[in-house]
Amino acid sequence: MQFKGAFTALVTPFSGGQIDEEAYRQLIEWQVQSGINGVVPCGTTGESATMSHEEHKRVISICVDQVKGRVPVLAGAGSNNTAEAVELTQFAKDAGADGALLITPYYNKPTQEGLYQHFKRIASEVSMPFIVYNVPGRTGVNLLPATVARLNKDIKDVIGIKEATGDLNQVSQVLEYCGPDFQVLSGDDFTVLPLLSVGGCGVISVVSNILPDKMSGMCAAWFAGDLPTAQKLHFELAPFSRMMFLETNPIPAKTSLALMGRIKLELRLPLVPMSPANAESLRAFLAGKGLI
């Protein structure tokens, strides 16, 4: 499988309103050195919604260049505008990304047929491995298992899905309909181990921004058949998952990385810094875990 294990949904460091390239490269290097299995630039966690197309493309280019083929790069390239998604996907391919992460169109609320036609159009224009991204909590639309199965059957480039419903019944249905070769990645840090147990192949993780070794270690333990270690890491990671969603992602993740001295704390509106009470809870938690 091409996309297996723990992939970090990378935050995008900013400085003075601009992309902080040096901090971004250092963050990516630390991730790779820590044993992460892959990286995802320009996802939700990367604040792609507030990037210009020029910035979006630059972030993907920096990431591909820094990784230098050591781990797969799954580039965020989705949009609620199909033509725009085609353009971003073509760029991801040209830049050397190993695959494209394509979110279901948000805000438009397309039907299941509309979702199918959206991905079909992208695939007709650009041929590269696609992981579709289903996150109804952000998009207002749920890509149903039957539609996923149809995409998998009809479009060779649709090789997997990032499933962020948090619904293990839906995940199980996707695997039932699509078979064991379909690459199902968890989009929820809370459900990684349960998802692996029904045939998933990994996670696109927020928590691994700060704990790349632990998240990749849990996946590795599962694949090695070491269930006790996988369970131990699952429960060790659980409180971190709660803390990373204390407020809207990626606010806590960026705050954590800033406290750890890896990036400057800079968010783009409409995201704002954590409330003082939550920021103090996070700081105390990280200090208690020896991360700061």
Side-chain angles (χ1 to χ4, degrees):
M1 286 190 171
Q2 190 167 8
F3 303 112
K4 181 178 178 180
F7 280 60
T8 298
L10 294 165
V11 304
T12 306
F14 298 119
S15 180
Q18 306 297 314
I19 294 160
D20 187 340
E21 180 172 344
E22 183 180 351
Y24 193 47
R25 286 184 179 275
Q26 289 176 357
L27 178 65
I28 293 165
E29 192 59 33
W30 174 61
Q31 290 279 324
V32 174
Q33 295 291 335
S34 299
I36 203 67
N37 303 115
V39 290
V40 180
C42 295
T44 306
T45 308
E47 293 174 85
S48 57
T50 50
M51 282 188 206
S52 68
H53 280 196
E54 183 183 333
E55 288 175 322
H56 189 113
K57 292 172 179 177
R58 184 158 168 254
V59 166
I60 291 172
S61 296
I62 293 168
C63 185
V64 170
D65 180 67
Q66 187 63 36
V67 166
K68 292 182 172 57
R70 290 173 291 173
V71 297
V73 175
L74 183 61
S79 173
N80 65 334
N81 174 339
T82 304
E84 191 172 277
V86 168
E87 179 192 340
L88 293 173
T89 304
Q90 183 65 61
F91 180 84
K93 180 178 181 177
D94 293 344
D98 299 283
L101 181 67
L102 299 174
I103 196 166
T104 55
Y106 39 88
Y107 189 76
N108 316 63
K109 295 188 81 169
T111 62
Q112 294 299 304
E113 182 63 26
L115 293 169
Y116 174 85
Q117 294 296 339
H118 171 78
F119 293 116
K120 186 178 180 182
R121 172 63 62 84
I122 299 168
S124 74
E125 301 278 347
V126 188
S127 181
M128 73 183 302
F130 298 153
I131 299 290
V132 298
Y133 177 16
N134 188 36
V135 57
R138 283 189 181 264
T139 64
V141 64
N142 187 9
L143 185 66
L144 297 175
T147 309
V148 179
R150 186 181 171 203
L151 288 166
N152 180 46
K153 176 175 174 285
D154 295 350
I155 305 169
K156 67 175 178 60
D157 286 329
V158 176
I159 63 167
I161 187 169
K162 177 184 177 183
E163 244 299 335
T165 57
D167 181 348
L168 287 166
N169 180 45
Q170 179 156 328
V171 167
S172 182
Q173 270 191 291
V174 167
L175 282 157
E176 177 190 348
Y177 295 169
C178 296
D181 293 334
F182 193 66
Q183 298 175 46
V184 179
L185 294 149
S186 174
D188 295 292
D189 282 303
F190 304 93
T191 65
V192 185
L193 188 57
L195 180 138
L196 290 172
S197 76
V198 294
C201 66
V203 59
I204 296 176
S205 172
V206 175
V207 170
S208 61
N209 273 284
I210 63 169
L211 290 174
D213 54 342
K214 301 275 190 192
M215 190 60 77
S216 59
M218 180 175 69
C219 293
W222 169 263
F223 291 123
D226 184 357
L227 184 57
T229 298
Q231 287 175 326
K232 176 176 175 289
L233 286 165
H234 166 78
F235 289 114
E236 196 176 316
L237 287 163
F240 287 93
S241 297
R242 290 191 289 273
M243 294 306 288
M244 288 308 101
F245 293 90
L246 201 55
E247 290 188 9
T248 302
N249 175 50
I251 299 168
K254 282 193 124 174
T255 305
S256 299
L257 286 166
L259 288 167
M260 292 164 70
R262 297 203 171 271
I263 65 170
K264 293 178 183 173
L265 178 55
E266 187 171 317
L267 299 147
R268 281 191 172 171
L269 284 170
L271 298 185
V272 295
M274 296 179 81
S275 70
N278 281 340
E280 178 50 35
S281 294
L282 179 61
R283 191 204 63 76
F285 173 79
L286 294 173
K289 297 294 185 181
L291 289 180
I292 58 172

